PDB file of all heavy atoms in Angstrom:
ATOM      1  N   THR A 220       0.191  -0.111  -0.024  1.00  0.00           N
ATOM      2  CA  THR A 220       1.203  -0.346  -1.061  1.00  0.00           C
ATOM      3  C   THR A 220       2.566  -0.610  -0.427  1.00  0.00           C
ATOM      4  O   THR A 220       3.058  -1.729  -0.422  1.00  0.00           O
ATOM      5  CB  THR A 220       1.288   0.861  -2.008  1.00  0.00           C
ATOM      6  OG1 THR A 220       1.587   2.041  -1.255  1.00  0.00           O
ATOM      7  CG2 THR A 220      -0.004   1.043  -2.781  1.00  0.00           C
ATOM      8  N   VAL A 221       3.191   0.444   0.104  1.00  0.00           N
ATOM      9  CA  VAL A 221       4.477   0.336   0.800  1.00  0.00           C
ATOM     10  C   VAL A 221       4.418   1.275   2.006  1.00  0.00           C
ATOM     11  O   VAL A 221       3.467   2.033   2.142  1.00  0.00           O
ATOM     12  CB  VAL A 221       5.669   0.742  -0.121  1.00  0.00           C
ATOM     13  CG1 VAL A 221       5.735  -0.149  -1.360  1.00  0.00           C
ATOM     14  CG2 VAL A 221       5.589   2.205  -0.543  1.00  0.00           C
ATOM     15  N   GLY A 223       5.211   4.583   4.126  1.00  0.00           N
ATOM     16  CA  GLY A 223       5.501   5.969   3.777  1.00  0.00           C
ATOM     17  C   GLY A 223       6.183   6.676   4.935  1.00  0.00           C
ATOM     18  O   GLY A 223       6.047   6.276   6.089  1.00  0.00           O
ATOM     19  N   ARG A 243      16.725  12.813  -0.204  1.00  0.00           N
ATOM     20  CA  ARG A 243      16.036  12.879  -1.494  1.00  0.00           C
ATOM     21  C   ARG A 243      16.276  14.243  -2.114  1.00  0.00           C
ATOM     22  O   ARG A 243      16.169  15.261  -1.434  1.00  0.00           O
ATOM     23  CB  ARG A 243      14.554  12.674  -1.231  1.00  0.00           C
ATOM     24  CG  ARG A 243      13.623  12.739  -2.431  1.00  0.00           C
ATOM     25  CD  ARG A 243      12.233  12.357  -1.931  1.00  0.00           C
ATOM     26  NE  ARG A 243      11.176  12.558  -2.870  1.00  0.00           N
ATOM     27  CZ  ARG A 243      10.383  11.569  -3.293  1.00  0.00           C
ATOM     28  NH1 ARG A 243      10.569  10.337  -2.895  1.00  0.00           N
ATOM     29  NH2 ARG A 243       9.395  11.842  -4.105  1.00  0.00           N
ATOM     30  N   ASP A 247      12.338  16.263  -6.552  1.00  0.00           N
ATOM     31  CA  ASP A 247      11.462  15.093  -6.627  1.00  0.00           C
ATOM     32  C   ASP A 247      10.244  15.307  -5.720  1.00  0.00           C
ATOM     33  O   ASP A 247      10.355  15.216  -4.507  1.00  0.00           O
ATOM     34  CB  ASP A 247      12.266  13.858  -6.186  1.00  0.00           C
ATOM     35  CG  ASP A 247      11.550  12.577  -6.519  1.00  0.00           C
ATOM     36  OD1 ASP A 247      10.452  12.637  -7.108  1.00  0.00           O
ATOM     37  OD2 ASP A 247      12.076  11.511  -6.178  1.00  0.00           O
ATOM     38  N   PRO A 248       9.067  15.601  -6.294  1.00  0.00           N
ATOM     39  CA  PRO A 248       7.909  15.992  -5.478  1.00  0.00           C
ATOM     40  C   PRO A 248       7.307  14.839  -4.675  1.00  0.00           C
ATOM     41  O   PRO A 248       7.520  13.665  -4.987  1.00  0.00           O
ATOM     42  CB  PRO A 248       6.911  16.499  -6.517  1.00  0.00           C
ATOM     43  CG  PRO A 248       7.293  15.846  -7.794  1.00  0.00           C
ATOM     44  CD  PRO A 248       8.775  15.638  -7.740  1.00  0.00           C
ATOM     45  N   LEU A 249       6.532  15.194  -3.645  1.00  0.00           N
ATOM     46  CA  LEU A 249       5.944  14.227  -2.718  1.00  0.00           C
ATOM     47  C   LEU A 249       4.482  13.941  -3.079  1.00  0.00           C
ATOM     48  O   LEU A 249       3.843  14.736  -3.760  1.00  0.00           O
ATOM     49  CB  LEU A 249       5.995  14.792  -1.295  1.00  0.00           C
ATOM     50  CG  LEU A 249       7.369  15.243  -0.796  1.00  0.00           C
ATOM     51  CD1 LEU A 249       7.230  15.915   0.569  1.00  0.00           C
ATOM     52  CD2 LEU A 249       8.319  14.058  -0.725  1.00  0.00           C
ATOM     53  N   ILE A 250       3.952  12.822  -2.564  1.00  0.00           N
ATOM     54  CA  ILE A 250       2.524  12.518  -2.703  1.00  0.00           C
ATOM     55  C   ILE A 250       1.820  12.945  -1.414  1.00  0.00           C
ATOM     56  O   ILE A 250       2.315  12.666  -0.316  1.00  0.00           O
ATOM     57  CB  ILE A 250       2.301  11.004  -2.932  1.00  0.00           C
ATOM     58  CG1 ILE A 250       2.893  10.568  -4.272  1.00  0.00           C
ATOM     59  CG2 ILE A 250       0.814  10.671  -2.879  1.00  0.00           C
ATOM     60  CD1 ILE A 250       2.752   9.069  -4.560  1.00  0.00           C
ATOM     61  N   HIS A 252      -1.340  12.453   1.099  1.00  0.00           N
ATOM     62  CA  HIS A 252      -2.315  11.416   1.436  1.00  0.00           C
ATOM     63  C   HIS A 252      -3.478  12.056   2.193  1.00  0.00           C
ATOM     64  O   HIS A 252      -3.252  12.726   3.200  1.00  0.00           O
ATOM     65  CB  HIS A 252      -1.660  10.331   2.301  1.00  0.00           C
ATOM     66  CG  HIS A 252      -0.564   9.597   1.582  1.00  0.00           C
ATOM     67  ND1 HIS A 252       0.615  10.210   1.211  1.00  0.00           N
ATOM     68  CD2 HIS A 252      -0.479   8.317   1.154  1.00  0.00           C
ATOM     69  CE1 HIS A 252       1.381   9.326   0.581  1.00  0.00           C
ATOM     70  NE2 HIS A 252       0.746   8.169   0.532  1.00  0.00           N
ATOM     71  N   VAL A 285      -2.517  13.092 -10.377  1.00  0.00           N
ATOM     72  CA  VAL A 285      -1.722  14.323 -10.494  1.00  0.00           C
ATOM     73  C   VAL A 285      -2.540  15.349 -11.282  1.00  0.00           C
ATOM     74  O   VAL A 285      -2.918  15.095 -12.422  1.00  0.00           O
ATOM     75  CB  VAL A 285      -0.382  14.033 -11.205  1.00  0.00           C
ATOM     76  CG1 VAL A 285       0.340  15.329 -11.557  1.00  0.00           C
ATOM     77  CG2 VAL A 285       0.513  13.160 -10.326  1.00  0.00           C
ATOM     78  N   LEU A 300       6.448  22.382  -8.981  1.00  0.00           N
ATOM     79  CA  LEU A 300       5.555  22.116 -10.118  1.00  0.00           C
ATOM     80  C   LEU A 300       4.188  22.752  -9.864  1.00  0.00           C
ATOM     81  O   LEU A 300       3.801  22.992  -8.726  1.00  0.00           O
ATOM     82  CB  LEU A 300       5.372  20.602 -10.312  1.00  0.00           C
ATOM     83  CG  LEU A 300       6.598  19.790 -10.718  1.00  0.00           C
ATOM     84  CD1 LEU A 300       6.238  18.304 -10.775  1.00  0.00           C
ATOM     85  CD2 LEU A 300       7.115  20.251 -12.072  1.00  0.00           C
ATOM     86  N   THR A 302       1.510  21.190 -10.537  1.00  0.00           N
ATOM     87  CA  THR A 302       0.595  20.076 -10.245  1.00  0.00           C
ATOM     88  C   THR A 302       0.979  19.412  -8.932  1.00  0.00           C
ATOM     89  O   THR A 302       2.118  19.529  -8.471  1.00  0.00           O
ATOM     90  CB  THR A 302       0.674  19.012 -11.352  1.00  0.00           C
ATOM     91  OG1 THR A 302       2.050  18.628 -11.508  1.00  0.00           O
ATOM     92  CG2 THR A 302       0.126  19.536 -12.665  1.00  0.00           C
ATOM     93  N   ALA A 304       0.471  15.599  -6.584  1.00  0.00           N
ATOM     94  CA  ALA A 304       0.072  14.188  -6.568  1.00  0.00           C
ATOM     95  C   ALA A 304      -0.663  13.905  -5.265  1.00  0.00           C
ATOM     96  O   ALA A 304      -0.174  14.247  -4.190  1.00  0.00           O
ATOM     97  CB  ALA A 304       1.317  13.303  -6.676  1.00  0.00           C
ATOM     98  N   ARG A 306      -3.331  10.978  -3.083  1.00  0.00           N
ATOM     99  CA  ARG A 306      -4.113   9.737  -3.046  1.00  0.00           C
ATOM    100  C   ARG A 306      -4.801   9.554  -1.700  1.00  0.00           C
ATOM    101  O   ARG A 306      -4.404  10.167  -0.705  1.00  0.00           O
ATOM    102  CB  ARG A 306      -3.261   8.515  -3.412  1.00  0.00           C
ATOM    103  CG  ARG A 306      -2.378   7.940  -2.341  1.00  0.00           C
ATOM    104  CD  ARG A 306      -1.618   6.755  -2.954  1.00  0.00           C
ATOM    105  NE  ARG A 306      -0.909   5.964  -1.956  1.00  0.00           N
ATOM    106  CZ  ARG A 306      -1.385   4.846  -1.399  1.00  0.00           C
ATOM    107  NH1 ARG A 306      -2.593   4.418  -1.702  1.00  0.00           N
ATOM    108  NH2 ARG A 306      -0.661   4.170  -0.529  1.00  0.00           N
ATOM    109  N   ALA A 326       3.854  11.965   2.059  1.00  0.00           N
ATOM    110  CA  ALA A 326       4.599  10.743   2.361  1.00  0.00           C
ATOM    111  C   ALA A 326       5.141  10.081   1.105  1.00  0.00           C
ATOM    112  O   ALA A 326       4.386   9.494   0.334  1.00  0.00           O
ATOM    113  CB  ALA A 326       3.728   9.752   3.130  1.00  0.00           C
ATOM    114  N   PRO A 327       6.435  10.164   0.915  1.00  0.00           N
ATOM    115  CA  PRO A 327       7.069   9.327  -0.100  1.00  0.00           C
ATOM    116  C   PRO A 327       7.307   7.949   0.511  1.00  0.00           C
ATOM    117  O   PRO A 327       7.120   7.769   1.721  1.00  0.00           O
ATOM    118  CB  PRO A 327       8.398  10.031  -0.342  1.00  0.00           C
ATOM    119  CG  PRO A 327       8.729  10.661   0.972  1.00  0.00           C
ATOM    120  CD  PRO A 327       7.404  11.003   1.634  1.00  0.00           C
ATOM    121  N   SER A 328       7.708   6.984  -0.289  1.00  0.00           N
ATOM    122  CA  SER A 328       8.063   5.679   0.264  1.00  0.00           C
ATOM    123  C   SER A 328       9.196   5.878   1.281  1.00  0.00           C
ATOM    124  O   SER A 328      10.076   6.722   1.080  1.00  0.00           O
ATOM    125  CB  SER A 328       8.475   4.731  -0.854  1.00  0.00           C
ATOM    126  OG  SER A 328       9.430   5.345  -1.707  1.00  0.00           O
ATOM    127  N   GLU A 365       4.254   0.305  -5.178  1.00  0.00           N
ATOM    128  CA  GLU A 365       3.692   1.630  -4.986  1.00  0.00           C
ATOM    129  C   GLU A 365       2.446   1.855  -5.847  1.00  0.00           C
ATOM    130  O   GLU A 365       2.199   1.116  -6.805  1.00  0.00           O
ATOM    131  CB  GLU A 365       4.736   2.710  -5.306  1.00  0.00           C
ATOM    132  CG  GLU A 365       5.998   2.638  -4.469  1.00  0.00           C
ATOM    133  CD  GLU A 365       7.048   1.725  -5.083  1.00  0.00           C
ATOM    134  OE1 GLU A 365       6.690   0.832  -5.878  1.00  0.00           O
ATOM    135  OE2 GLU A 365       8.232   1.908  -4.748  1.00  0.00           O
ATOM    136  N   SER A 366       1.733   2.933  -5.531  1.00  0.00           N
ATOM    137  CA  SER A 366       0.481   3.232  -6.231  1.00  0.00           C
ATOM    138  C   SER A 366       0.711   3.510  -7.721  1.00  0.00           C
ATOM    139  O   SER A 366       1.801   3.919  -8.135  1.00  0.00           O
ATOM    140  CB  SER A 366      -0.170   4.461  -5.591  1.00  0.00           C
ATOM    141  OG  SER A 366       0.695   5.575  -5.673  1.00  0.00           O
ATOM    142  N   ILE A 368       0.250   5.874 -10.778  1.00  0.00           N
ATOM    143  CA  ILE A 368       0.091   7.338 -10.870  1.00  0.00           C
ATOM    144  C   ILE A 368      -0.470   7.718 -12.234  1.00  0.00           C
ATOM    145  O   ILE A 368       0.072   7.326 -13.276  1.00  0.00           O
ATOM    146  CB  ILE A 368       1.426   8.077 -10.643  1.00  0.00           C
ATOM    147  CG1 ILE A 368       2.076   7.621  -9.323  1.00  0.00           C
ATOM    148  CG2 ILE A 368       1.195   9.584 -10.615  1.00  0.00           C
ATOM    149  CD1 ILE A 368       3.374   8.360  -8.986  1.00  0.00           C
ATOM    150  N   LEU A 379       1.596   7.757 -15.496  1.00  0.00           N
ATOM    151  CA  LEU A 379       2.933   8.253 -15.152  1.00  0.00           C
ATOM    152  C   LEU A 379       3.787   7.162 -14.505  1.00  0.00           C
ATOM    153  O   LEU A 379       5.002   7.169 -14.626  1.00  0.00           O
ATOM    154  CB  LEU A 379       2.835   9.444 -14.187  1.00  0.00           C
ATOM    155  CG  LEU A 379       2.243  10.742 -14.743  1.00  0.00           C
ATOM    156  CD1 LEU A 379       2.200  11.802 -13.655  1.00  0.00           C
ATOM    157  CD2 LEU A 379       3.044  11.239 -15.936  1.00  0.00           C
ATOM    158  N   ARG A 380       3.144   6.257 -13.753  1.00  0.00           N
ATOM    159  CA  ARG A 380       3.893   5.158 -13.121  1.00  0.00           C
ATOM    160  C   ARG A 380       2.960   3.968 -12.978  1.00  0.00           C
ATOM    161  O   ARG A 380       1.916   4.091 -12.358  1.00  0.00           O
ATOM    162  CB  ARG A 380       4.388   5.587 -11.728  1.00  0.00           C
ATOM    163  CG  ARG A 380       5.077   4.461 -10.968  1.00  0.00           C
ATOM    164  CD  ARG A 380       5.632   4.916  -9.614  1.00  0.00           C
ATOM    165  NE  ARG A 380       4.595   5.074  -8.602  1.00  0.00           N
ATOM    166  CZ  ARG A 380       4.823   5.475  -7.361  1.00  0.00           C
ATOM    167  NH1 ARG A 380       6.044   5.780  -6.974  1.00  0.00           N
ATOM    168  NH2 ARG A 380       3.826   5.592  -6.502  1.00  0.00           N
ATOM    169  N   ALA A 408       8.033  13.927 -16.603  1.00  0.00           N
ATOM    170  CA  ALA A 408       6.635  13.895 -16.198  1.00  0.00           C
ATOM    171  C   ALA A 408       6.501  13.489 -14.746  1.00  0.00           C
ATOM    172  O   ALA A 408       5.801  14.114 -13.976  1.00  0.00           O
ATOM    173  CB  ALA A 408       5.879  12.932 -17.093  1.00  0.00           C
ATOM    174  N   ALA A 409       7.149  12.421 -14.346  1.00  0.00           N
ATOM    175  CA  ALA A 409       7.191  12.044 -12.937  1.00  0.00           C
ATOM    176  C   ALA A 409       8.664  12.101 -12.563  1.00  0.00           C
ATOM    177  O   ALA A 409       9.415  11.169 -12.803  1.00  0.00           O
ATOM    178  CB  ALA A 409       6.633  10.655 -12.717  1.00  0.00           C
ATOM    179  N   PRO A 410       9.083  13.237 -12.012  1.00  0.00           N
ATOM    180  CA  PRO A 410      10.512  13.461 -11.801  1.00  0.00           C
ATOM    181  C   PRO A 410      11.161  12.326 -11.012  1.00  0.00           C
ATOM    182  O   PRO A 410      12.323  12.027 -11.218  1.00  0.00           O
ATOM    183  CB  PRO A 410      10.552  14.760 -11.001  1.00  0.00           C
ATOM    184  CG  PRO A 410       9.212  15.395 -11.194  1.00  0.00           C
ATOM    185  CD  PRO A 410       8.246  14.311 -11.484  1.00  0.00           C
ATOM    186  N   GLY A 411      10.381  11.695 -10.122  1.00  0.00           N
ATOM    187  CA  GLY A 411      10.954  10.625  -9.300  1.00  0.00           C
ATOM    188  C   GLY A 411      11.082   9.330 -10.070  1.00  0.00           C
ATOM    189  O   GLY A 411      11.727   8.396  -9.618  1.00  0.00           O
ATOM    190  N   CYS A 412      10.426   9.252 -11.209  1.00  0.00           N
ATOM    191  CA  CYS A 412      10.511   8.022 -11.995  1.00  0.00           C
ATOM    192  C   CYS A 412      11.802   8.039 -12.792  1.00  0.00           C
ATOM    193  O   CYS A 412      11.816   7.893 -14.011  1.00  0.00           O
ATOM    194  CB  CYS A 412       9.291   7.867 -12.887  1.00  0.00           C
ATOM    195  SG  CYS A 412       7.820   7.505 -11.926  1.00  0.00           S
TER     196      CYS A 412
HETATM  197  O1  TXA B  40       2.139   3.910  -3.031  1.00  0.00           O
HETATM  198  C1  TXA B  40       2.692   5.008  -3.028  1.00  0.00           C
HETATM  199  O2  TXA B  40       2.472   5.863  -3.888  1.00  0.00           O
HETATM  200  C2  TXA B  40       3.685   5.292  -1.878  1.00  0.00           C
HETATM  201  C3  TXA B  40       2.907   5.281  -0.557  1.00  0.00           C
HETATM  202  C4  TXA B  40       3.750   5.695   0.604  1.00  0.00           C
HETATM  203  O3  TXA B  40       1.765   6.090  -0.678  1.00  0.00           O
HETATM  204  N1  TXA B  40       4.353   6.519  -2.092  1.00  0.00           N
HETATM  205  C5  TXA B  40       5.298   6.694  -3.054  1.00  0.00           C
HETATM  206  O4  TXA B  40       5.895   7.953  -3.037  1.00  0.00           O
HETATM  207  O5  TXA B  40       5.603   5.836  -3.841  1.00  0.00           O
HETATM  208  P1  TXA B  40       7.266   8.262  -3.781  1.00  0.00           P
HETATM  209  O6  TXA B  40       7.622   9.635  -3.371  1.00  0.00           O
HETATM  210  O7  TXA B  40       8.249   7.207  -3.512  1.00  0.00           O
HETATM  211  O8  TXA B  40       6.872   8.301  -5.278  1.00  0.00           O
HETATM  212  C6  TXA B  40       6.062   9.345  -5.745  1.00  0.00           C
HETATM  213  C7  TXA B  40       6.274   9.576  -7.195  1.00  0.00           C
HETATM  214  C8  TXA B  40       7.624  10.138  -7.491  1.00  0.00           C
HETATM  215  O9  TXA B  40       8.150   9.430  -8.599  1.00  0.00           O
HETATM  216  C9  TXA B  40       7.322  11.581  -7.872  1.00  0.00           C
HETATM  217  O10 TXA B  40       8.220  12.095  -8.803  1.00  0.00           O
HETATM  218  C10 TXA B  40       5.930  11.469  -8.453  1.00  0.00           C
HETATM  219  O11 TXA B  40       5.308  10.545  -7.630  1.00  0.00           O
HETATM  220  N2  TXA B  40       5.220  12.741  -8.355  1.00  0.00           N
HETATM  221  C11 TXA B  40       4.865  13.410  -7.251  1.00  0.00           C
HETATM  222  N3  TXA B  40       4.282  14.580  -7.563  1.00  0.00           N
HETATM  223  C12 TXA B  40       4.239  14.638  -8.915  1.00  0.00           C
HETATM  224  C13 TXA B  40       3.763  15.602  -9.858  1.00  0.00           C
HETATM  225  N4  TXA B  40       3.207  16.737  -9.472  1.00  0.00           N
HETATM  226  N5  TXA B  40       3.894  15.316 -11.171  1.00  0.00           N
HETATM  227  C14 TXA B  40       4.458  14.156 -11.570  1.00  0.00           C
HETATM  228  N6  TXA B  40       4.931  13.218 -10.721  1.00  0.00           N
HETATM  229  C15 TXA B  40       4.830  13.453  -9.420  1.00  0.00           C
END
Side-chain angles (χ1 to χ4, degrees):
T220 57
V221 300
R243 178 174 171 121
D247 193 1
L249 306 174
I250 294 178
H252 296 67
V285 170
L300 295 176
T302 54
R306 80 181 190 96
S328 49
E365 301 88 337
S366 60
I368 307 183
L379 292 179
R380 175 177 76 181
C412 290

